[in-house]
Amino acid sequence: KGGEQEKRYPPIDYREARLYKEKFGHSAIIGLKVNVTFNAEVKYESKQTNPNTRIMGTDENYLDIKDFKIAQGRVFSANDLENGTNICILGVDVLSQLFDKNINPMDKEITILGQKMKVVGILEKKGSMMGGGDDRVIFVPLETGRKMAVGRSLTFDIVTSVPNIKDLENTIEEARGVMRVVRQDIIGMPDSFSIERSDSIAKQLGNITDTLRVAGFGIGFITLLGAAIALMNIMLVSVTERTQEIGIRKSLGATPYLIRLQFLMEAIVICLMGGIGGIIFAIVIGNVFAQLLMGDSATFIIPWVWMSLGITVCVAVGLFSGIYPAYKASKLDPIESLRYE
């Protein structure tokens, strides 16, 4: 009692999905999708994929709405969608598991769930922040997906794209009204379906990013504190080992201020060397990962603001770590320092 329980809605069947699309007309772009299976094993000659390939049936709009781009081949034609032809579009992960680099996959026949499918398209690499496996997918025409799942109950997902973001709220209310008519929901009763806004996913990602940012700052602060203490110990050892040097400098006229300045500058230079090395390493690694994830669309970035902040932090850590050793060095007695062995 007092806990939250996820509300379960009746699945959307094919008739309801098609009726929704027809009733909405041309005021928005509607895409339909059905998950045929999440654990298919796909074969081509003697090669086969891992049993974790997603097979999805889609209509003519879904790929565009979800920003799937065709790298090679074509999308589904009106004839493919109407007649449910045995063709498919492959994600790059599936492609790499089935075909060698010297083989052109176009028009080759692969076996999916015991059925022969001709490859007519290859998707561009998409990647997925949430581990959804957008590159480990095979798309088939919606009618083909229904035939592949014969005898099983399927749940259809409906995606509604808004041409203008300013119309988002109005389109959501229109979608709710259309779907209530399709589902025959009684007036006054709650919806028998759920609507998920794209910006709600963005907010969830934002919350996750904020949490990671706080955790990153916490870990960074602890790391900086440990490094500052280690540097302070190194500088204290340096003061002890250079006691005679300090005595000679004082006997030649160096003031306590100059001694303090010398050790503070040394601590700051050590921090700056480490900071500059870390910045160069982070820029290289960050841009390499961006290139791997985004491909040709990635651009080389130099974060000048964060670099400036990093240098400022290095100077602050150097001052914090060097101030006590510098003070201790400036207070040494020159006569006792000259006698130090």
Side-chain angles (χ1 to χ4, degrees), residues 313-334:
V313 170
C314 288
V315 173
V317 171
L319 287 172
F320 173 77
S321 303
I323 192 165
Y324 176 67
Y327 175 78
K328 185 177 179 181
S330 68
K331 291 298 182 182
L332 289 177
D333 183 84

Side-chain angles (χ1 to χ4, degrees), residues 19-170:
L19 190 57
Y20 173 91
K21 186 174 181 178
E22 291 171 8
K23 284 184 173 295
F24 224 104
H26 299 287
S27 58
I29 302 172
I30 311 299
L32 304 182
K33 182 261 293 185
V34 62
N35 292 313
V36 179
T37 180
F38 288 94
N39 53 4
E41 189 176 73
V42 184
K43 298 179 181 180
Y44 172 71
E45 294 183 348
S46 61
K47 291 194 173 185
Q48 61 185 32
T49 66
N50 298 324
N52 61 354
T53 303
R54 300 167 63 196
I55 311 299
M56 298 167 61
T58 63
D59 66 358
E60 70 278 11
N61 295 328
Y62 183 82
L63 295 180
D64 283 338
I65 293 174
K66 288 297 184 179
D67 198 31
F68 284 95
K69 300 278 194 300
I70 299 293
Q72 185 181 354
R74 63 177 179 86
V75 295
F76 303 137
S77 66
N79 179 66
D80 298 328
L81 294 165
E82 184 177 348
N83 298 317
T85 54
N86 286 359
I87 62 172
C88 62
I89 299 173
L90 305 184
V92 293
D93 285 356
V94 180
L95 177 70
S96 63
Q97 292 182 50
L98 291 180
F99 298 96
D100 295 329
K101 291 184 178 180
N102 60 341
I103 296 178
N104 183 5
M106 301 306 300
D107 295 327
K108 296 291 190 300
E109 285 194 340
I110 62 176
T111 304
I112 307 174
L113 301 179
Q115 297 187 37
K116 294 288 186 181
M117 295 280 179
K118 185 199 292 187
V119 178
V120 297
I122 304 297
L123 296 171
E124 289 184 2
K125 185 175 180 61
K126 194 175 194 316
S128 178
M129 289 181 61
M130 305 301 290
D134 285 340
D135 294 319
R136 199 177 59 249
V137 65
I138 297 177
F139 289 114
V140 299
L142 194 66
E143 291 293 337
T144 307
R146 292 181 66 210
K147 290 191 296 184
M148 295 172 72
V150 62
R152 288 193 289 122
S153 178
L154 295 175
T155 299
F156 289 78
D157 295 324
I158 304 171
V159 182
T160 305
S161 177
V162 185
N164 191 334
I165 191 64
K166 295 179 181 179
D167 299 330
L168 179 61
E169 296 296 336
N170 291 335

Side-chain angles (χ1 to χ4, degrees), residues 198-212:
S198 57
D199 58 350
S200 68
I201 298 174
K203 289 177 182 177
Q204 291 176 13
L205 290 174
N207 292 334
I208 295 172
T209 304
D210 291 340
T211 303
L212 292 175

Side-chain angles (χ1 to χ4, degrees), residues 257-321:
Y257 168 77
L258 290 176
I259 300 295
R260 285 196 299 271
L261 185 62
Q262 174 191 350
F263 281 88
L264 277 175
M265 291 301 295
E266 289 179 5
I268 291 172
V269 168
I270 291 172
C271 283
L272 285 176
M273 290 174 62
I276 291 171
I279 287 171
I280 294 172
F281 184 76
I283 290 174
V284 172
I285 295 298
N287 282 282
V288 167
F289 271 97
Q291 191 70 34
L292 291 174
L293 292 174
M294 301 177 64
D296 296 335
S297 61
T299 55
F300 192 84
I301 295 174
I302 299 178
W304 296 105
V305 174
W306 288 106
M307 287 169 57
S308 303
L309 180 60
I311 295 297
T312 304
V313 170
C314 288
V315 173
V317 171
L319 287 172
F320 173 77
S321 303

